[in-house]
Amino acid sequence: MTAVVRLTLPTRLILNELLEAQEREMYGFELRILTGLPGPTIHQILARLETHGWATSRWEDRAPGGRPLRRYYRLTPDGAAQARTALAPRGAVSDSPPAPPGRHADSDDRAPHAATAPPTRNTSHTPHSRNQETT
């Protein structure tokens, strides 16, 4: 059995992409384009997934056109099952970027709705009310 992987938002984004591409391998820069995450973050997460047995990797034999060799990653069958289970309670990560701080992800760019006025306090029953007669 594989170890439990901490599911940070970047880890969830990468797991979702690897799950969607279950039939093929992916390389780090490809994940960078799809997730918008920085390269070092992606490679740290991929290394952690490999350490815990959720993913496997291989270097390509030779690179066409003299480009650097790529390291390809794929979820293991157990890792894919673990990822599906781990992501299920929280739901899949949306393809849309996270909302800026202070905004909800489902809000739009329209002006905020006018807030309703706060309720006024009914002071007619208090002993110090201006409407009460003094003796």
Side-chain angles (χ1 to χ4, degrees):
M1 180 167 171
T2 59
V4 175
V5 174
R6 198 176 93 202
L7 291 179
T8 62
L9 178 59
T11 301
R12 294 179 69 209
L13 290 169
I14 290 170
L15 284 173
N16 276 325
E17 292 301 331
L18 290 171
L19 281 170
E20 286 184 23
Q22 190 66 39
E23 299 302 316
R24 65 181 183 86
E25 300 169 310
M26 299 181 84
Y27 57 98
F29 191 72
E30 183 179 13
L31 287 165
R32 184 176 179 187
I33 291 169
L34 294 170
T35 64
L37 297 169
T41 299
I42 290 169
H43 290 287
Q44 288 172 3
I45 291 169
L46 290 170
R48 190 175 348 126
L49 292 173
E50 256 191 301
T51 299
H52 291 301
W54 286 35
T56 186
S57 69
R58 70 165 183 89
W59 285 99
E60 70 182 342
D61 295 329
R62 58 182 193 162
R67 68 165 165 71
L69 293 176
R70 291 178 179 164
R71 189 170 184 177
Y72 287 96
Y73 296 86
R74 165 181 277 168
L75 290 176
T76 63
D78 191 41
Q82 293 275 353
R84 280 188 205 93
T85 301
L87 294 173
R90 299 175 124 182
V93 176
S94 166
D95 287 338
S96 61
R103 291 191 61 190
H104 294 286
D106 59 347
S107 67
D108 54 25
D109 292 328
R110 291 180 293 170
H113 298 289
T116 57
T120 56
R121 192 179 336 189
N122 183 355
T123 58
S124 62
H125 299 293
T126 59
H128 300 289
S129 175
R130 290 183 190 159
N131 296 338
Q132 195 171 11
E133 290 184 30
T134 57
T135 54

